[in-house]
Amino acid sequence: MKWKSSIRFQLFIQVSIIIMICVAVLLLANSQLLPYYYEYSERNSLADAVKEAGALDENDEDFNQNIADIERKYDVSLQIYTITGRLVYPNLMAITANGQTLNDWIEYFANYQRKVSVLEQEQEKGGALFQIQQDINTGVQYLSYVAVVDDAYQVEAFTPRSTIELNASIADSLVWKIATVVLVLAFVLVFWYSRKITNPIIEMNGVTKRMANMDFSRKCTVTRKDELGELGKSINLLSDTLDETLQDLKQKNERLKNDIEWERRQEQVRKEFISNVSHELKTPIAIVQGYAEGLETGVADDPESVSEYCKVIMDETSRMNDIVVELLELSKYEQGAYPLHCEAFNIRSFVDDMLSSMKVLFEDKGITAVNLIDGAFTGYGDVTKLEMVLSNYIGNAISHVKEPYQIRITAQEKGHCIRVGVFNSGDPIAPEDLDKIWNSFYRADKSHNRSENRFGLGLSIVRAIQNLHQMKYGVENVEGGVRFWFDVSAENIWPEKDLTNVPAVVE
């Protein structure tokens, strides 16, 4: 049974056994030694009574009263004779003075004319005798002490042995009763004490079990100032230290997992980048190679055909050059090779200028482009680079706009920033593509339509420029289309310094 192995039960049993052994030894010693102790004590009383009585003067008028006081004091009987045999105490005058009759005196005096036989005798230094006497008529035994005082008086003090035995028996019985009460009280106190001592230990055991299960929420209650209190404080300190260490370890593990995941994603991005670059360059290279072989083999033998072949080759090499230029631009932005030249500008005018430069393109495609930005908005940033952000957003909107062919530019305050949004009507972006479209060469439509001369690098450049500005950027599907947005600082947070390669936050 579990309770039998508990420290509280064991402490209670062990202390109880120790108390019972001590009480048993006490009772045994009391029952065996108490009669001897009483007899020893009574001997001392007899000797003291004889000594005090022998010091009194027979001729003193209070002599008899003083002797009586000594008898009451030591609970003994005294008998004093002269060496010649005359009874000094008790005497007739002392008794009759108390109003007693002669018959009373005769009966009282008869007690002092005991006919006794000496059973045991022990002589002390100085000639005094301790005797165990037995009354010949009654059989009562007496403990007697007889001494000669000043070579003139014989003083004897005696008391019945039955009185000693009775007192010893009463005391022994009382001790047994007291021992029983004390034992019961001791059990109660031991039970209370065992709880008081073991409660902190049991609580510490519970706390350490929780700690073993990585639960550090429970703490030891420390109210003591002894070693148990110090142990409780140490356990609490250990719990807090382990909790902090494990939390720190969890955070580091989480960061490690995130780093590993980031590395995995970067590796995946790198592979996709290489694949996309290969795809983008493979087609123009193949075309250039084919047309060059045609020229070499004389397939085009007239000036008009040769001119057409050369034009195709030049177009494809120009396309490859554009890809390389954009890749170099993206690399410089990501590496912070371009410093920021920030200035204040009116955001509405900034957008108006961009829309005006694309007016012909809007008309050719039948697109309605509207600038809904409040003229009071002022932003801070590198206008040249932010033009590339807005240009890429609008170019992306033109490529994906559908009926009713609308593009709307809006702006709203976001704390210390102005959030500029570019909306185009059309199909929403698939949720799984929302995070990927910012990767180089990634295009959600998967069409890779060469006629649009788009390489999938525009949004990557947007990301790099926003990182330089420490501003957020993002995309969201809204009712009727898609809205790309980027933040422009409403305060000059770049006084006289260039910020390079500082990560922005994508939403």
Side-chain angles (χ1 to χ4, degrees), residues 40 50 59 114 144 148 214 285 289 335 337 372 401 429 453:
Y40 172 78
V50 169
N59 298 316
R114 298 170 293 129
S144 172
V148 177
M214 301 303 172
I285 289 175
Q289 182 180 5
Q335 293 176 9
L372 303 176
V401 68
I429 300 174
N453 202 33

Side-chain angles (χ1 to χ4, degrees), residues 139-325:
V140 176
Q141 292 186 357
Y142 295 89
L143 179 63
S144 172
Y145 182 77
V146 182
V148 177
V149 179
D150 297 333
D151 295 327
Y153 298 95
Q154 178 179 299
V155 182
E156 180 182 6
F158 58 92
T159 186
R161 290 192 74 189
S162 60
T163 302
I164 298 174
E165 294 172 353
L166 178 61
N167 289 338
S169 176
I170 293 173
D172 187 55
S173 175
L174 179 62
V175 169
W176 271 94
K177 292 177 181 178
I178 293 175
T180 302
V181 174
V182 168
L183 200 59
V184 172
L185 180 61
F187 286 152
V188 174
L189 292 177
V190 168
F191 179 75
W192 171 82
Y193 182 73
S194 63
R195 287 178 59 87
K196 181 178 178 63
I197 291 296
T198 58
N199 276 345
I201 299 175
I202 293 172
E203 183 186 26
M204 292 174 194
N205 183 51
V207 171
T208 53
K209 282 184 177 179
R210 287 174 175 259
M211 289 170 59
N213 294 323
M214 301 303 172
D215 180 4
F216 304 98
S217 59
R218 185 176 173 183
K219 296 292 186 293
C220 297
T221 303
V222 180
T223 57
R224 306 168 65 101
K225 296 183 179 180
D226 54 9
E227 288 80 359
L228 286 178
E230 292 298 322
L231 179 59
K233 291 180 181 178
S234 298
I235 291 175
N236 289 342
L237 179 60
L238 177 62
S239 175
D240 292 337
T241 303
L242 285 176
D243 190 20
E244 292 175 3
T245 302
L246 288 176
Q247 290 298 328
D248 183 59
L249 185 60
K250 286 181 181 179
Q251 293 175 1
K252 290 180 178 178
N253 285 340
E254 189 65 29
R255 288 197 295 268
L256 181 60
K257 287 171 60 178
N258 293 337
D259 290 343
I260 293 174
E261 179 63 21
W262 184 84
E263 290 290 342
R264 188 191 64 78
R265 289 197 303 267
Q266 289 299 108
E267 178 64 18
Q268 182 64 29
V269 169
R270 185 186 65 82
K271 291 179 180 179
E272 292 178 357
F273 177 79
I274 293 174
S275 175
N276 290 327
V277 169
S278 300
H279 178 84
E280 292 293 338
L281 294 178
K282 179 178 67 175
T283 301
I285 289 175
I287 293 174
V288 169
Q289 182 180 5
Y291 277 83
E293 290 175 352
L295 289 175
E296 183 182 15
T297 57
V299 172
D301 52 1
D302 58 278
E304 184 177 347
S305 298
V306 170
S307 176
E308 182 180 351
Y309 272 48
C310 290
K311 183 178 182 304
V312 170
I313 291 173
M314 291 176 62
D315 289 342
E316 293 303 324
T317 54
S318 176
R319 179 182 178 84
M320 286 189 290
N321 182 67
D322 291 341
I323 293 175
V324 172
V325 169

Side-chain angles (χ1 to χ4, degrees), residues 6 10 43 88 91 108 113 153 174 201 218 221 233 248 284-285 306 318 330 338 385 415 424 466 483 486 491 501:
S6 98
Q10 293 182 30
R43 285 189 176 200
V88 177
N91 58 33
Y108 183 74
Q113 298 299 317
Y153 298 95
L174 179 62
I201 299 175
R218 185 176 173 183
T221 303
K233 291 180 181 178
D248 183 59
I285 289 175
V306 170
S318 176
L330 176 61
Y338 288 137
K385 294 178 176 59
N424 68 271
Q466 287 299 103
R483 185 174 76 96
F486 65 98
E491 302 173 351
N501 200 27

Side-chain angles (χ1 to χ4, degrees), residues 355-368:
L355 293 181
S356 297
S357 66
M358 297 182 173
K359 182 177 180 181
V360 175
L361 186 59
F362 292 145
E363 292 176 351
D364 289 344
K365 294 183 174 288
I367 298 173
T368 302

